[in-house]
């Protein structure tokens, strides 16, 4: 399966700390994307990193991609309670987006 | 707001009912998707449409019937569903299938009783 796998499944941190989530995938990709989902809502696109890129930043988000290890990481710096959500990586597979099971992040005030 | 609107937001239906979910996007995207999200399971791709043509049917049971009358609208017709079909159904669109960022609607929470 092309499906990405996020790690850890759940993460609980204190406000102000950094949160790191990892994603592994199985086959070649053109790009990898990270999404966020608040409970019971739709997914919101956070960042896209292409296969020829190694690192990308967006505000407090930093994404890295290691195609040799078929892995990516999402770092959220200086976390806030509002960052509490599920985070998913998605890889392209043909014409589709394939999502991993997600990491449930809880940021405690 | 992401530019993708789904209606209704919540739906409760009996196993013998027929209902439809609607998705609308005015982002000028060419691809539209239906995903199913069940508790504690990854998002499952159901259908993909590109330029109104169905390009992917991920072995979805025939009790789910998609319709894409134009690039801006996508429907999911439901009939004789089972309780295990209860889930959050998410619609998404993107400019290019599988290659650019996807914009998601807020989802329809479906409960089959």
């Amino acid at each position: 399966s092309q499906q990405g796998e996020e790690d850890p499944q759940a993460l609980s941190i204190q406000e102000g700390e950094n949160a790191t989530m990892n994603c592994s995938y199985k086959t070649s990709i053109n790009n990898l994307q990270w999404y966020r989902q608040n409970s019971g809502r739709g997914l919101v696109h956070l960042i896209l990193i292409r296969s020829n890129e190694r690192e990308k930043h967006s505000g407090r988000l930093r994404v890295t991609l290691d195609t040799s290890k078929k892995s990516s990481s999402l770092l959220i710096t200086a976390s806030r309670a509002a960052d509490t959500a599920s985070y998913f990586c998605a890889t392209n597979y043909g014409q589709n987006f394939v999502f991993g099971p997600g990491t449930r992040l809880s940021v405690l005030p | 707001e992401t530019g993708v609107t789904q209606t209704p937001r919540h739906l409760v239906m009996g196993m013998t009912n027929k209902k439809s979910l609607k998705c609308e996007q005015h982002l000028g995207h060419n691809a539209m998707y239906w995903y199913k999200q069940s508790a504690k399971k990854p998002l499952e791709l159901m259908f993909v449409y590109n330029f109104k043509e169905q390009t992917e049917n991920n072995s979805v049971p025939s009790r789910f019937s998609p319709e894409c009358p134009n690039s801006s609208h996508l429907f999911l017709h439901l009939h004789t569903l089972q309780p295990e079909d209860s889930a959050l159904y998410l619609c998404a669109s993107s400019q290019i299938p599988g290659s650019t960022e996807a914009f998601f609607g807020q989802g329809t929470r479906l409960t089959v009783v």
Side-chain angles (χ1 to χ4, degrees):
Chain A
S1 160
Q2 171 68 16
Q3 186 179 28
E5 293 280 342
E6 292 91 347
D7 165 56
Q9 292 186 3
L11 179 62
S12 186
I13 59 174
Q14 294 294 133
E15 205 165 23
E17 294 180 340
N18 295 341
T20 299
M21 291 159 269
N22 303 296
C23 170
S24 59
Y25 56 93
K26 296 181 180 179
T27 62
S28 298
I29 59 171
N30 293 327
N31 65 64
L32 185 141
Q33 305 181 38
W34 285 91
Y35 290 79
R36 164 198 168 119
Q37 183 182 32
N38 287 72
S39 181
R41 308 291 294 274
L43 279 73
V44 176
H45 182 267
L46 295 176
I47 199 163
L48 180 154
I49 186 165
R50 302 194 184 283
S51 59
N52 61 353
E53 297 176 310
R54 292 296 167 259
E55 188 171 313
K56 204 161 183 180
H57 297 255
S58 177
R60 293 183 296 113
L61 306 180
R62 172 177 169 250
V63 168
T64 62
L65 179 65
D66 187 335
T67 53
S68 66
K69 296 181 179 178
K70 292 186 169 59
S71 67
S72 173
S73 67
L74 170 67
L75 169 67
I76 303 174
T77 60
S79 64
R80 305 166 182 168
D83 294 328
T84 294
S86 292
Y87 292 83
F88 298 87
C89 68
T91 53
N92 65 294
Y93 184 65
Q95 294 191 345
N96 309 329
F97 298 100
V98 180
F99 290 83
T103 292
R104 176 70 191 168
L105 173 66
S106 297
V107 181
L108 306 175
Chain B
E1 289 295 328
T2 63
V4 180
T5 303
Q6 287 187 244
T7 54
R9 291 292 308 278
H10 301 272
L11 178 62
V12 179
M13 60 185 290
M15 289 189 283
T16 59
N17 291 160
K18 290 184 180 181
K19 296 288 184 183
S20 296
L21 309 185
K22 179 182 177 181
C23 177
E24 186 172 354
Q25 60 94 2
H26 295 290
L27 300 169
H29 290 168
N30 299 313
M32 296 187 77
Y33 314 76
W34 280 117
Y35 285 88
K36 175 184 178 182
Q37 187 178 34
S38 305
K40 299 182 180 179
K41 292 176 71 175
L43 269 75
E44 300 173 58
L45 177 69
M46 299 176 73
F47 302 103
V48 182
Y49 277 82
N50 189 25
F51 289 100
K52 304 189 300 177
E53 299 297 320
Q54 186 181 127
T55 58
E56 187 81 23
N57 177 338
N58 199 25
S59 302
V60 180
S62 60
R63 58 186 183 270
F64 295 91
S65 175
E67 179 190 1
C68 189
N70 55 62
S71 293
S72 298
H73 294 85
L74 185 64
F75 295 90
L76 188 62
H77 303 300
L78 316 171
H79 62 99
T80 59
L81 294 191
Q82 305 298 312
E84 60 264 30
D85 296 322
S86 297
L88 182 67
Y89 288 83
L90 292 163
C91 172
S93 71
S94 69
Q95 181 60 37
I96 301 172
S99 294
T100 55
E101 65 183 280
F103 290 76
F104 282 80
Q106 294 297 308
T108 294
R109 172 66 64 185
L110 174 67
T111 303
V112 181
V113 298

